[in-house]
Amino acid sequence: MRCEYKDGLKVNYTGPLQITKGQDVNVFIKEARLPESIKGDLEMALFKNSCGDMRTIAETVTKSYGNRACIH
């Protein structure tokens, strides 16, 4: 699932999770390294096809891991 927002935020979840926003945010987390709570939220967002939920997840992830992270 890929979501793009008017402010430039992009969230792409196709197994790994990638969150970008221009040069300010660049987060990549391999699927096997996603915490179960986040993985569950991502699966629910996919099920509901909800970009609103994906944005909330992206905010949670960047608060936890910072604006720049590569976890694989």
Side-chain angles (χ1 to χ4, degrees):
M1 179 174 188
R2 183 174 173 89
C3 298
E4 295 187 30
Y5 306 90
K6 291 180 182 179
D7 65 353
L9 180 70
K10 296 178 186 177
V11 181
N12 187 14
Y13 178 60
T14 57
L17 174 64
Q18 185 172 15
I19 304 166
T20 59
K21 184 176 180 183
Q23 293 184 6
D24 296 330
V25 178
N26 190 1
V27 176
F28 176 87
I29 304 174
K30 189 174 179 178
E31 184 175 22
R33 305 289 283 180
L34 287 168
E36 288 301 317
S37 60
I38 292 173
K39 198 173 199 178
D41 290 345
L42 286 165
E43 290 173 5
M44 184 57 69
L46 283 173
F47 178 75
K48 296 189 315 185
N49 198 33
S50 173
C51 282
D53 287 354
M54 291 295 276
R55 183 177 191 93
T56 301
I57 294 164
E59 290 170 359
T60 300
V61 169
T62 55
K63 284 180 186 173
S64 297
Y65 294 96
N67 289 343
R68 298 195 182 278
C70 183
I71 302 170
H72 49 104

